[in-house]
Amino acid sequence: MKITLDEINNEQMDVLKEIGNIGAGNATTALATMLNKRIDMKVPKVDILEFNEVTELLGGAEKKICGINFDVDGDINGNIMFLLNMDSSKKLANMLMNKEDHVEELSEWDISALQEVGNILSGAYVRSLTTLTQLDMKISIPSLTVDMAGAILSVPIIQYGQVGDKVLLIETELNEGNNNIKGYFFLIPDVESFEILLKSLGVLE
Amino acid sequence: MGKVIKVGMADLNVAKSGDCLTTLGLGSCIGITLYDPISKVAGLAHIMLPSSKSIKNNSNPAKFADTAMDILIDKMIKAGARKTRLVSKIAGGAQMFSFSTKNDLMKIGQRNAIATKEILKEKGIRLIGDDTGGNFGRTIEINSDTGILFIKTIGKGTKEI
C-alpha cells in the first residue's frame, strides 16, 4: 500500500511536525554560526495545506518571490525547496553581505549569497533528518529563481500531485536585530520515499 | 466590458459574450485555450500533468491534459461551440529551475507541452498559437470576443498571440 499525505494520521503528522521543528532549529543554529550573530527563531508552523492555501500564504499566484530548489537523493529521493518573499530575500542577502540597502531587486552577488545560505539551511535540515532516521540523504547544488509564486510553486505542487493533493509546509521565522525574515521549507519525498521516511520514523508498519 | 473568470490550478472553465478567462502564474503547467471564432465561445484548462493513465491519484480530470481536453470540449459544445471550428493556443510548460537532469519530474513542463500538442492533433484541433518553454512564469488571459491570448511575465514583458 502506498501512503499519501491525504491519508496520514495524527501520530504521523506529529512526527512530521517534530522533524520540521528540529530541522528548522538546526538550520537557524547553522546560520547564526556562519554570521556570528544572534539569531532567534520563532517556533515554526508545520502544516499540511491545499495548493491554493499555500499560494495565498505567499501573497497570491502572481506575487514575485524567490525560490531555491535542491534535489535530494540517497535512501530518500525528492526535493527541498526554500521560499522567501522579496522583502525577506533582500534582508537575508543584506545580512549575509553585511550591508544595508533598501532596493528590492537582487543583484548577482545577492543571488549567490542566497544560494549559499539556502545550502546551509537545507544542509542543516537534511542532517537533522539523517540523524533522526538513520537514512542516507544528499542534497544537490542549489538552483535559485525569482518569479511568480504560482509558477515556482507549480514545481513542488506537481511533485506532490503524484502523492496527493496537499503539500507539507514548514514555515520558519528568523529574527536578527530588527531584521525579520520569513521563509518556507518544503520537503518533497517521492511516493516510495514518503513511505520509507515514515517507516524509519516508526510511525508506519 | 464582460467579466474576468479566474481558472485555478487543475481547473477549467468556459466563457462567452465578451467575458474573459484568466489563469495566474503558470509555471510547468500548461494553460490550454480553445476558441470557436463563430460562436465566440472560449475555453481554458490549467493542466498539471500530461496523462491521467499513469497516476494513482487521478480523481480530478482537470489536472491532466488528456482528460481535461475531453471535458473542456464537451463544456464548450454545450455553450454553443462547434468542435470542427475549434482552434487552440497554449502557454506555459516552463522549466522553473535550471538543473536536475536526472530528475524526470523537473522536465515536466516540456512533457506537458508535448502531450498537449499530441492530444490536440488526436482531436483534430489546430494549434494556432504556442508560447511554451523557457524558465519563467506566465499569467494568461483569453478574450471570448476576439480569441486573443494575452501573456504577462515578470521581467520578460507582455505579449499577445
Side-chain angles (χ1 to χ4, degrees), chain A residues 4 7 61-62 67 69 71 79 81 140-141 143 145 147-148 150-151 154-155 157-159 161-162 164-165, chain B residues 9 24-28 48-49 55-57 63 96-100 102-103 105-106 136-137 139 152-154:
Chain A
T4 75
E7 293 157 9
E62 281 191 292
N69 184 64
D71 279 358
N79 287 79
M81 199 175 268
S140 70
I141 53 159
S143 170
T145 191
D147 212 306
M148 298 178 191
S154 74
V155 179
I157 286 172
I158 287 174
Q159 270 161 299
Q162 322 256 326
D165 278 326
Chain B
M9 191 176 241
L24 312 177
L26 279 166
S28 314
M48 290 168 61
L49 292 162
I55 304 287
K56 174 203 165 202
N57 184 7
K63 199 154 137 184
M96 297 305 296
F97 292 96
S98 59
F99 62 98
S100 309
K102 68 174 170 54
N103 191 341
L105 270 167
M106 286 304 192
F136 50 89
T139 280
K152 194 167 90 183
T153 63
I154 287 180

Side-chain angles (χ1 to χ4, degrees), chain A residues 19-204:
Chain A
I19 294 177
N21 273 316
I22 296 169
N26 288 354
T28 310
T29 309
L31 184 65
T33 309
M34 179 199 176
L35 297 174
N36 199 20
K37 278 178 181 161
R38 186 193 154 86
I39 292 175
D40 298 315
M41 185 199 69
K42 269 200 192 163
V43 176
K45 206 158 62 188
V46 182
D47 220 341
I48 289 183
L49 298 175
E50 304 273 346
F51 300 156
N52 294 334
E53 291 173 315
V54 180
T55 319
E56 288 316 309
L57 204 63
L58 285 155
E62 281 191 292
K63 186 85 180 173
K64 189 170 153 188
I65 62 162
C66 172
I68 311 171
N69 184 64
F70 304 83
D71 279 358
V72 178
D73 72 305
D75 294 332
I76 293 221
N77 294 299
N79 287 79
I80 285 183
M81 199 175 268
F82 184 48
L83 302 177
L84 295 157
N85 64 33
M86 291 318 288
D87 183 50
S88 287
S89 57
K90 192 67 204 178
K91 276 184 192 159
L92 188 54
N94 285 346
M95 202 194 280
L96 291 161
M97 313 282 284
N98 226 343
K99 58 175 186 172
E100 279 183 40
D101 63 42
H102 303 283
V103 195
E104 222 204 39
E105 292 302 313
L106 297 174
S107 68
E108 266 183 48
W109 285 106
D110 291 337
I111 286 174
S112 69
L114 284 172
Q115 284 182 330
E116 191 45 36
V117 77
N119 231 351
I120 287 160
L121 294 177
S122 302
Y125 184 77
V126 164
R127 267 193 304 282
S128 11
L129 206 52
T130 311
T131 311
L132 281 171
T133 58
Q134 301 294 314
L135 294 170
D136 171 50
M137 276 171 259
K138 281 188 283 292
I139 58 170
S140 70
I141 53 159
S143 170
L144 182 146
T145 191
V146 172
D147 212 306
M148 298 178 191
I152 289 177
L153 276 166
S154 74
V155 179
I157 286 172
I158 287 174
Q159 270 161 299
Y160 270 112
Q162 322 256 326
V163 202
D165 278 326
K166 290 174 179 157
V167 295
L168 177 70
L169 176 101
I170 301 153
E171 183 183 322
T172 60
E173 212 175 299
L174 308 173
N175 284 295
E176 186 268 323
N178 292 326
N179 284 318
N180 171 268
I181 293 155
K182 214 182 222 185
Y184 300 88
F185 273 108
F186 288 93
L187 171 70
I188 313 158
D190 66 19
V191 188
E192 284 78 22
S193 301
F194 189 60
E195 215 175 302
I196 294 170
L197 184 65
L198 288 176
K199 272 184 186 157
S200 68
L201 292 164
V203 285
L204 187 71

